mmCIF file of all heavy atoms in Angstrom:
data_model
loop_
_atom_site.group_PDB
_atom_site.id
_atom_site.type_symbol
_atom_site.label_atom_id
_atom_site.label_comp_id
_atom_site.label_asym_id
_atom_site.label_seq_id
_atom_site.Cartn_x
_atom_site.Cartn_y
_atom_site.Cartn_z
ATOM 1 N N ARG A 1 98.839 115.638 83.514
ATOM 2 C CA ARG A 1 98.511 116.983 83.065
ATOM 3 C C ARG A 1 97.632 117.736 84.006
ATOM 4 O O ARG A 1 97.918 118.924 84.178
ATOM 5 C CB ARG A 1 97.973 116.955 81.623
ATOM 6 C CG ARG A 1 98.906 116.295 80.537
ATOM 7 C CD ARG A 1 98.345 116.254 79.161
ATOM 8 N NE ARG A 1 99.114 115.453 78.304
ATOM 9 C CZ ARG A 1 100.184 115.998 77.586
ATOM 10 N NH1 ARG A 1 100.522 117.324 77.757
ATOM 11 N NH2 ARG A 1 100.891 115.234 76.789
ATOM 12 N N GLN A 2 96.655 117.143 84.559
ATOM 13 C CA GLN A 2 95.654 117.823 85.428
ATOM 14 C C GLN A 2 96.444 118.191 86.690
ATOM 15 O O GLN A 2 96.240 119.396 87.174
ATOM 16 C CB GLN A 2 94.550 116.959 85.739
ATOM 17 C CG GLN A 2 93.458 117.658 86.604
ATOM 18 C CD GLN A 2 92.842 118.681 85.784
ATOM 19 O OE1 GLN A 2 92.499 118.589 84.623
ATOM 20 N NE2 GLN A 2 92.522 119.763 86.461
ATOM 21 N N THR A 3 97.279 117.469 87.340
ATOM 22 C CA THR A 3 97.968 117.739 88.523
ATOM 23 C C THR A 3 99.045 118.864 88.270
ATOM 24 O O THR A 3 99.117 119.766 89.098
ATOM 25 C CB THR A 3 98.667 116.541 89.193
ATOM 26 O OG1 THR A 3 99.398 115.914 88.223
ATOM 27 C CG2 THR A 3 97.535 115.578 89.725
ATOM 28 N N LEU A 4 99.663 118.849 87.019
ATOM 29 C CA LEU A 4 100.612 119.891 86.717
ATOM 30 C C LEU A 4 99.817 121.211 86.632
ATOM 31 O O LEU A 4 100.306 122.324 87.113
ATOM 32 C CB LEU A 4 101.375 119.573 85.464
ATOM 33 C CG LEU A 4 102.552 118.704 85.542
ATOM 34 C CD1 LEU A 4 103.091 118.408 84.275
ATOM 35 C CD2 LEU A 4 103.716 119.390 86.425
ATOM 36 N N THR A 5 98.750 121.033 86.077
ATOM 37 C CA THR A 5 97.787 122.368 85.939
ATOM 38 C C THR A 5 97.515 123.014 87.367
ATOM 39 O O THR A 5 97.436 124.242 87.523
ATOM 40 C CB THR A 5 96.563 122.074 85.230
ATOM 41 O OG1 THR A 5 96.860 121.683 83.797
ATOM 42 C CG2 THR A 5 95.610 123.258 85.154
ATOM 43 N N HIS A 6 97.349 122.052 88.256
ATOM 44 C CA HIS A 6 97.011 122.597 89.674
ATOM 45 C C HIS A 6 98.282 122.940 90.433
ATOM 46 O O HIS A 6 98.259 123.291 91.550
ATOM 47 C CB HIS A 6 96.263 121.500 90.435
ATOM 48 C CG HIS A 6 94.885 121.350 90.041
ATOM 49 N ND1 HIS A 6 94.055 122.358 89.931
ATOM 50 C CD2 HIS A 6 94.160 120.133 89.669
ATOM 51 C CE1 HIS A 6 92.792 121.893 89.596
ATOM 52 N NE2 HIS A 6 92.880 120.615 89.378
ATOM 53 N N GLY A 7 99.569 122.895 89.726
ATOM 54 C CA GLY A 7 100.765 123.206 90.475
ATOM 55 C C GLY A 7 101.537 122.202 91.094
ATOM 56 O O GLY A 7 102.497 122.496 91.832
ATOM 57 N N THR A 8 101.192 120.955 90.826
ATOM 58 C CA THR A 8 101.724 119.814 91.560
ATOM 59 C C THR A 8 103.146 119.466 90.725
ATOM 60 O O THR A 8 103.010 118.785 89.710
ATOM 61 C CB THR A 8 100.946 118.550 91.638
ATOM 62 O OG1 THR A 8 99.785 118.919 92.526
ATOM 63 C CG2 THR A 8 101.667 117.389 92.332
ATOM 64 N N THR A 9 104.235 119.997 91.176
ATOM 65 C CA THR A 9 105.535 119.671 90.510
ATOM 66 C C THR A 9 106.005 118.389 90.944
ATOM 67 O O THR A 9 106.845 117.686 90.171
ATOM 68 C CB THR A 9 106.492 120.799 90.692
ATOM 69 O OG1 THR A 9 106.618 120.926 92.158
ATOM 70 C CG2 THR A 9 106.021 122.091 90.045
ATOM 71 N N THR A 10 105.727 117.808 92.141
ATOM 72 C CA THR A 10 106.213 116.519 92.624
ATOM 73 C C THR A 10 104.952 115.801 93.078
ATOM 74 O O THR A 10 104.278 116.339 93.838
ATOM 75 C CB THR A 10 107.188 116.685 93.704
ATOM 76 O OG1 THR A 10 108.402 117.221 93.296
ATOM 77 C CG2 THR A 10 107.608 115.292 94.304
ATOM 78 N N ALA A 11 104.748 114.497 92.646
ATOM 79 C CA ALA A 11 103.673 113.632 93.135
ATOM 80 C C ALA A 11 104.195 112.328 93.657
ATOM 81 O O ALA A 11 105.085 111.827 92.955
ATOM 82 C CB ALA A 11 102.706 113.486 92.015
ATOM 83 N N CYS A 12 103.676 111.876 94.752
ATOM 84 C CA CYS A 12 104.040 110.528 95.181
ATOM 85 C C CYS A 12 102.736 109.637 94.883
ATOM 86 O O CYS A 12 101.815 109.842 95.551
ATOM 87 C CB CYS A 12 104.317 110.544 96.598
ATOM 88 S SG CYS A 12 104.991 108.924 97.310
ATOM 89 N N TYR A 13 102.838 108.826 93.891
ATOM 90 C CA TYR A 13 101.773 108.205 93.271
ATOM 91 C C TYR A 13 101.608 106.602 93.768
ATOM 92 O O TYR A 13 102.528 105.967 93.613
ATOM 93 C CB TYR A 13 101.848 108.099 91.783
ATOM 94 C CG TYR A 13 101.597 109.372 91.033
ATOM 95 C CD1 TYR A 13 102.628 109.986 90.237
ATOM 96 C CD2 TYR A 13 100.245 110.088 91.029
ATOM 97 C CE1 TYR A 13 102.313 111.134 89.532
ATOM 98 C CE2 TYR A 13 100.042 111.299 90.319
ATOM 99 C CZ TYR A 13 101.091 111.635 89.526
ATOM 100 O OH TYR A 13 100.829 112.806 88.752
ATOM 101 N N PHE A 14 100.465 106.400 94.179
ATOM 102 C CA PHE A 14 100.033 104.821 94.035
ATOM 103 C C PHE A 14 99.579 104.693 92.600
ATOM 104 O O PHE A 14 98.727 105.411 92.176
ATOM 105 C CB PHE A 14 98.759 104.643 94.957
ATOM 106 C CG PHE A 14 99.123 104.247 96.331
ATOM 107 C CD1 PHE A 14 99.849 105.150 97.189
ATOM 108 C CD2 PHE A 14 98.729 103.049 96.869
ATOM 109 C CE1 PHE A 14 100.182 104.714 98.476
ATOM 110 C CE2 PHE A 14 99.037 102.706 98.146
ATOM 111 C CZ PHE A 14 99.845 103.511 98.962
ATOM 112 N N ALA A 15 100.205 103.721 91.968
ATOM 113 C CA ALA A 15 99.784 103.394 90.591
ATOM 114 C C ALA A 15 98.963 102.236 90.622
ATOM 115 O O ALA A 15 97.808 102.397 91.078
ATOM 116 C CB ALA A 15 101.137 103.153 89.786
ATOM 117 N N SER A 16 99.319 101.149 90.082
ATOM 118 C CA SER A 16 98.374 100.062 89.812
ATOM 119 C C SER A 16 98.933 98.688 90.337
ATOM 120 O O SER A 16 100.213 98.600 90.581
ATOM 121 C CB SER A 16 98.198 99.829 88.257
ATOM 122 O OG SER A 16 97.615 98.546 87.944
ATOM 123 N N LEU A 17 98.254 97.708 90.544
ATOM 124 C CA LEU A 17 98.610 96.400 90.954
ATOM 125 C C LEU A 17 99.547 95.938 89.732
ATOM 126 O O LEU A 17 100.287 95.036 90.006
ATOM 127 C CB LEU A 17 97.415 95.438 91.234
ATOM 128 C CG LEU A 17 97.730 94.004 91.509
ATOM 129 C CD1 LEU A 17 98.470 93.846 92.867
ATOM 130 C CD2 LEU A 17 96.501 93.174 91.479
ATOM 131 N N TYR A 18 99.199 96.269 88.570
ATOM 132 C CA TYR A 18 99.903 95.724 87.417
ATOM 133 C C TYR A 18 101.253 96.501 87.074
ATOM 134 O O TYR A 18 101.224 97.707 86.992
ATOM 135 C CB TYR A 18 98.920 95.770 86.244
ATOM 136 C CG TYR A 18 97.611 95.096 86.657
ATOM 137 C CD1 TYR A 18 96.432 95.914 86.648
ATOM 138 C CD2 TYR A 18 97.451 93.766 86.848
ATOM 139 C CE1 TYR A 18 95.190 95.429 86.967
ATOM 140 C CE2 TYR A 18 96.242 93.209 87.185
ATOM 141 C CZ TYR A 18 95.184 94.017 87.183
ATOM 142 O OH TYR A 18 93.857 93.510 87.656
ATOM 143 N N ALA A 19 102.230 95.640 86.875
ATOM 144 C CA ALA A 19 103.661 96.325 86.825
ATOM 145 C C ALA A 19 103.648 97.102 85.534
ATOM 146 O O ALA A 19 104.259 98.086 85.535
ATOM 147 C CB ALA A 19 104.605 95.221 86.692
ATOM 148 N N GLU A 20 103.092 96.623 84.387
ATOM 149 C CA GLU A 20 103.122 97.274 83.145
ATOM 150 C C GLU A 20 102.419 98.642 83.231
ATOM 151 O O GLU A 20 102.921 99.615 82.683
ATOM 152 C CB GLU A 20 102.518 96.505 81.929
ATOM 153 C CG GLU A 20 102.724 97.106 80.689
ATOM 154 C CD GLU A 20 104.195 97.474 80.231
ATOM 155 O OE1 GLU A 20 105.128 96.608 80.584
ATOM 156 O OE2 GLU A 20 104.358 98.354 79.533
ATOM 157 N N ALA A 21 101.216 98.561 83.838
ATOM 158 C CA ALA A 21 100.500 99.915 83.912
ATOM 159 C C ALA A 21 101.251 100.914 84.842
ATOM 160 O O ALA A 21 101.265 102.107 84.516
ATOM 161 C CB ALA A 21 99.167 99.635 84.492
ATOM 162 N N SER A 22 101.836 100.393 85.906
ATOM 163 C CA SER A 22 102.615 101.321 86.799
ATOM 164 C C SER A 22 103.845 101.876 86.011
ATOM 165 O O SER A 22 104.134 103.111 86.316
ATOM 166 C CB SER A 22 103.107 100.443 88.033
ATOM 167 O OG SER A 22 101.872 100.021 88.659
ATOM 168 N N ALA A 23 104.459 101.161 85.272
ATOM 169 C CA ALA A 23 105.635 101.617 84.472
ATOM 170 C C ALA A 23 105.154 102.640 83.510
ATOM 171 O O ALA A 23 105.937 103.689 83.293
ATOM 172 C CB ALA A 23 106.358 100.518 83.752
ATOM 173 N N ILE A 24 103.963 102.559 82.942
ATOM 174 C CA ILE A 24 103.476 103.510 82.011
ATOM 175 C C ILE A 24 103.272 104.823 82.703
ATOM 176 O O ILE A 24 103.525 105.932 82.168
ATOM 177 C CB ILE A 24 102.039 103.080 81.386
ATOM 178 C CG1 ILE A 24 102.395 101.895 80.373
ATOM 179 C CG2 ILE A 24 101.290 104.076 80.764
ATOM 180 C CD1 ILE A 24 101.168 101.221 79.920
ATOM 181 N N LEU A 25 102.855 104.855 83.963
ATOM 182 C CA LEU A 25 102.677 106.070 84.719
ATOM 183 C C LEU A 25 104.088 106.794 84.789
ATOM 184 O O LEU A 25 104.145 107.942 84.716
ATOM 185 C CB LEU A 25 102.045 105.874 86.117
ATOM 186 C CG LEU A 25 101.980 107.008 86.995
ATOM 187 C CD1 LEU A 25 101.267 108.120 86.418
ATOM 188 C CD2 LEU A 25 101.450 106.608 88.417
ATOM 189 N N GLY A 26 105.101 106.060 85.136
ATOM 190 C CA GLY A 26 106.500 106.639 85.187
ATOM 191 C C GLY A 26 106.926 107.204 83.825
ATOM 192 O O GLY A 26 107.439 108.348 83.871
ATOM 193 N N GLU A 27 106.618 106.523 82.775
ATOM 194 C CA GLU A 27 107.034 106.958 81.522
ATOM 195 C C GLU A 27 106.172 108.200 81.078
ATOM 196 O O GLU A 27 106.823 109.196 80.612
ATOM 197 C CB GLU A 27 106.681 105.889 80.474
ATOM 198 C CG GLU A 27 107.686 104.781 80.428
ATOM 199 C CD GLU A 27 107.179 103.598 79.651
ATOM 200 O OE1 GLU A 27 106.146 103.641 79.059
ATOM 201 O OE2 GLU A 27 107.993 102.566 79.648
ATOM 202 N N THR A 28 104.984 108.259 81.474
ATOM 203 C CA THR A 28 104.100 109.458 81.200
ATOM 204 C C THR A 28 104.617 110.725 81.958
ATOM 205 O O THR A 28 104.693 111.769 81.419
ATOM 206 C CB THR A 28 102.654 109.174 81.563
ATOM 207 O OG1 THR A 28 102.218 108.041 80.767
ATOM 208 C CG2 THR A 28 101.743 110.331 81.292
ATOM 209 N N ALA A 29 104.899 110.488 83.263
ATOM 210 C CA ALA A 29 105.420 111.591 84.132
ATOM 211 C C ALA A 29 106.724 112.117 83.504
ATOM 212 O O ALA A 29 106.970 113.393 83.423
ATOM 213 C CB ALA A 29 105.580 111.258 85.469
ATOM 214 N N ALA A 30 107.563 111.253 83.078
ATOM 215 C CA ALA A 30 108.957 111.630 82.517
ATOM 216 C C ALA A 30 108.680 112.359 81.256
ATOM 217 O O ALA A 30 109.330 113.333 80.930
ATOM 218 C CB ALA A 30 109.806 110.414 82.229
ATOM 219 N N ASN A 31 107.840 111.884 80.388
ATOM 220 C CA ASN A 31 107.636 112.622 79.075
ATOM 221 C C ASN A 31 107.042 113.975 79.211
ATOM 222 O O ASN A 31 107.452 114.856 78.495
ATOM 223 C CB ASN A 31 106.657 111.717 78.277
ATOM 224 C CG ASN A 31 107.180 110.544 77.626
ATOM 225 O OD1 ASN A 31 108.408 110.309 77.516
ATOM 226 N ND2 ASN A 31 106.411 109.484 77.226
ATOM 227 N N ILE A 32 106.047 114.060 80.141
ATOM 228 C CA ILE A 32 105.471 115.442 80.310
ATOM 229 C C ILE A 32 106.210 116.287 81.216
ATOM 230 O O ILE A 32 106.230 117.584 81.008
ATOM 231 C CB ILE A 32 104.075 115.208 80.898
ATOM 232 C CG1 ILE A 32 103.037 114.421 79.906
ATOM 233 C CG2 ILE A 32 103.393 116.511 81.304
ATOM 234 C CD1 ILE A 32 101.862 114.045 80.455
ATOM 235 N N GLY A 33 107.000 115.759 82.017
ATOM 236 C CA GLY A 33 107.987 116.632 82.898
ATOM 237 C C GLY A 33 107.662 116.840 84.293
ATOM 238 O O GLY A 33 108.179 117.754 84.948
ATOM 239 N N GLN A 34 106.895 115.894 84.908
ATOM 240 C CA GLN A 34 106.597 116.014 86.343
ATOM 241 C C GLN A 34 107.577 115.209 87.113
ATOM 242 O O GLN A 34 107.988 114.041 86.709
ATOM 243 C CB GLN A 34 105.195 115.548 86.485
ATOM 244 C CG GLN A 34 104.644 115.660 88.071
ATOM 245 C CD GLN A 34 103.159 115.290 88.227
ATOM 246 O OE1 GLN A 34 102.823 114.166 87.915
ATOM 247 N NE2 GLN A 34 102.422 116.221 88.643
ATOM 248 N N ARG A 35 107.994 115.674 88.214
ATOM 249 C CA ARG A 35 108.775 114.843 89.176
ATOM 250 C C ARG A 35 107.815 113.880 89.959
ATOM 251 O O ARG A 35 106.791 114.262 90.390
ATOM 252 C CB ARG A 35 109.356 115.794 90.273
ATOM 253 C CG ARG A 35 110.496 115.249 91.023
ATOM 254 C CD ARG A 35 111.044 116.085 92.089
ATOM 255 N NE ARG A 35 111.660 117.334 91.492
ATOM 256 C CZ ARG A 35 112.724 117.452 90.931
ATOM 257 N NH1 ARG A 35 113.565 116.490 90.865
ATOM 258 N NH2 ARG A 35 113.106 118.539 90.367
#
């Protein structure tokens, strides 16, 4: 949400060492609508 507020429509993210947490980031971006 914060990066979208700043105008970031596409982000290349380092997520987490943990697979489940990293997948949560993908789900969150999809739900909110960020590429």
